[in-house]
Amino acid sequence: MTDAADHATAPPRAAPRKNIFRTLEIDTRLLGMIGAFVVLCIVFDLVADGRFLTPRNIFNLTIQTVSVAIMATGMVFVIVTRNIDLSVGSLLAVCSAVMAMMQTVILPDWLGLGLGHPAIWLVSIVVGLVVGTAIGAFQGFLVGYLTIPAFIVTLGGLLVWRNVAWYLTAGQTIGPLDATFMKFGGINGTLGETLSWAAAAIAVAGTIAMILSNRRAKVAHGFPVKPLWAEGLLALIATGAIVGFVAILNAYELPSGRIRRIFELRGEAVPDGFTMAYGLPISVLVLIVIAVVMTVVARRTRLGRYIFATGGNPDAAELSGINTRLLTVKVFAIMGALCALSAVVASARLANHSNDIGTLDELRVIAAAVIGGTALSGGIGTIYGAILGALIMQSLQSGMAMVGVDAPFQNIVVGVVLVLAVLIDIQYRRKTGAK
């Protein structure tokens, strides 16, 4: 009785003070990854005598990251559902081979579409997407309905699809590819300075609209919301990141010789002091669109909820009515479609299809997803984390190549970083109580 009285008269406990990161609801693990990325860039820039953080190198770094980053967004879904896909590099190769043969043999010779026909690039991409999605769905069927372990199915796919690509091209390098198709590779296709700023303005407006929409939704459902100053600070940070990124890309100017050739094709002379900027690569724009779509799927759709529920507890998900077998087919089909899109970017950047395209990409993609925080035990993963993981890996390899590190030692470093990233992630989850 006395205890109850004492409890009733005791002064209320003060609410625990929140630090700025809790107030902003920022994932501290993501913040740590960004910090590690920044430190990595600064170190490489110092060692490389200021050559790493130049607009030219940042431009090249972004277009080199796109192919792996696109596949890493799909690998998040695969790993979250407690599966693995070792065939993504080979699947990229077979999709690249199909699209290359469509552009150089099937459409021009069999269907009579001349070189440069406006339908060639579009038909080739559609066929590549169909092939990639079909192969992914087939592998998902073997895993989901025939209950063959994903490791075995995709290990077989790693061996099968790359050699199918070899037979499709008779082991030859196929090119040159369609000029419009090659614009998806990066260097041959950019928005230019004006359109890049327009894209930045759209991105800023979309980011602010998303923040306001999330706030209104929380208020409407009675959930706690961040202070207005915190929302404004997040919007300011996002705006600064978008504008800064586009400003760096716009600072990379076309060589004078290329500008001269452009004006010669127009039959004009180059004005004195005239310059042109590359701007935002189309391939990076494709990655941004895919990242937004995959994030919306993960957070706002029934499919996304089913994927994470299945990864968290497959038995409970099945008992709750989720068709986990069909879900597995869908996840692998999405992975196949993203491999086809990556094949577009990779082959367009090289301007041809080669037999070694996508070699070891399966390891890079899995590493990017894991470094980005996707738990191999399933149920946990983010799209933005996988993209950041791909960027960190590419920065690490590019920086080591720039300072003259041998390729074998580069692979050793990447392997060590992967193991350390998993170890740090395990320790972080134990400390925070996350599963």
Side-chain angles (χ1 to χ4, degrees):
M1 195 76 173
T2 306
D3 292 343
D6 291 343
H7 180 73
T9 58
R13 293 182 180 180
R17 296 182 61 183
K18 288 187 176 181
N19 59 33
I20 187 170
F21 300 123
R22 289 186 178 179
T23 303
L24 295 175
E25 297 179 7
I26 294 178
D27 183 0
T28 53
R29 189 186 189 284
L30 173 65
L31 199 64
M33 289 178 60
I34 295 175
F37 174 65
V38 171
V39 170
L40 187 70
C41 292
I42 292 174
V43 169
F44 277 132
D45 192 60
L46 292 174
V47 176
D49 298 326
R51 291 180 291 126
F52 189 81
L53 291 178
T54 60
R56 175 181 179 179
N57 190 59
I58 292 174
F59 179 91
N60 290 330
L61 190 63
T62 57
I63 62 176
Q64 290 166 358
T65 303
V66 170
S67 178
V68 169
I70 289 175
M71 290 188 287
T73 63
M75 189 61 73
V76 170
F77 284 1
V78 173
I79 297 178
V80 161
T81 54
R82 303 191 180 188
N83 291 302
I84 200 73
D85 193 341
L86 301 176
S87 68
V88 292
S90 298
L91 187 48
L92 181 151
V94 77
C95 291
S96 174
V98 168
M99 289 186 287
M101 294 301 292
M102 289 291 296
Q103 294 173 60
T104 59
V105 177
I106 297 175
L107 292 177
D109 297 346
W110 297 5
L111 300 182
L113 298 182
L115 294 176
H117 192 282
I120 286 181
W121 70 273
L122 181 58
V123 173
S124 299
I125 292 177
V126 170
V127 172
L129 286 171
V130 171
V131 170
T133 304
I135 293 175
F138 172 68
Q139 294 187 152
F141 172 81
L142 296 178
V143 175
Y145 285 90
L146 301 187
T147 65
I148 305 173
F151 181 89
I152 299 300
V153 170
T154 57
L155 180 60
L158 182 150
L159 300 172
V160 170
W161 304 122
R162 180 163 297 279
N163 289 286
V164 168
W166 190 92
Y167 277 109
L168 287 174
T169 61
Q172 298 177 356
T173 296
I174 305 298
L177 303 179
D178 180 77
T180 304
F181 181 88
M182 288 194 293
K183 290 183 178 180
F184 290 93
I187 195 74
N188 294 314
T190 58
L191 297 184
E193 187 172 4
T194 303
L195 287 179
S196 295
W197 283 123
I202 294 173
V204 169
T207 301
I208 295 175
M210 182 182 66
I211 292 174
L212 294 176
S213 176
N214 289 339
R215 184 179 182 86
R216 284 195 298 267
K218 288 182 178 180
V219 171
H221 292 87
F223 293 127
V225 295
K226 293 189 285 290
L228 281 175
W229 69 264
E231 303 277 19
L233 181 58
L234 286 176
L236 185 63
I237 292 172
T239 299
I242 294 169
V243 172
F245 177 62
V246 172
I248 291 172
L249 295 181
N250 280 338
Y252 181 31
E253 297 178 350
L254 274 70
S256 57
R258 185 168 181 179
I259 295 176
R260 186 171 58 254
R261 287 192 296 273
I262 292 173
F263 275 83
E264 286 175 353
L265 292 175
R266 300 176 183 173
E268 303 173 1
V270 182
D272 292 337
F274 182 83
T275 59
M276 289 179 65
Y278 280 102
L280 186 69
I282 293 176
S283 60
V284 175
L285 186 62
V286 170
L287 172 61
I288 294 171
V289 172
I290 290 173
V292 171
V293 171
M294 292 291 284
T295 301
V296 170
V297 169
R299 294 185 174 183
R300 301 293 181 87
T301 68
R302 181 183 299 176
L303 175 62
R305 291 192 293 271
Y306 284 1
I307 287 172
F308 282 87
T310 300
N313 192 327
D315 294 333
E318 192 165 1
L319 290 173
S320 66
I322 298 176
N323 188 341
T324 55
R325 294 183 176 185
L326 180 59
L327 182 69
T328 301
V329 175
K330 291 178 180 179
V331 168
F332 276 90
I334 292 172
M335 186 74 255
L338 292 173
C339 288
L341 285 174
S342 292
V344 173
V345 172
S347 58
R349 185 163 63 90
L350 298 173
N352 57 60
H353 165 79
S354 60
N355 288 321
D356 63 347
I357 191 170
T359 301
L360 294 181
D361 271 5
E362 53 277 342
L363 303 182
R364 297 185 183 98
V365 170
I366 294 171
V370 172
I371 290 174
T374 305
L376 291 172
S377 57
I380 299 174
T382 60
I383 302 301
Y384 58 79
I387 294 174
L388 183 56
L391 184 59
I392 289 174
M393 283 194 57
Q394 186 60 51
S395 300
L396 190 62
Q397 290 185 306
S398 297
M400 287 189 293
M402 182 173 288
V403 299
V405 176
D406 294 335
F409 190 72
Q410 292 181 28
N411 292 329
I412 292 174
V413 172
V414 171
V416 171
V417 168
L418 175 59
V419 174
L420 286 177
V422 174
L423 176 61
I424 292 171
D425 183 64
I426 291 173
Q427 297 298 327
Y428 171 80
R429 297 190 193 285
R430 286 177 179 173
K431 184 178 180 180
T432 58
K435 294 182 180 179

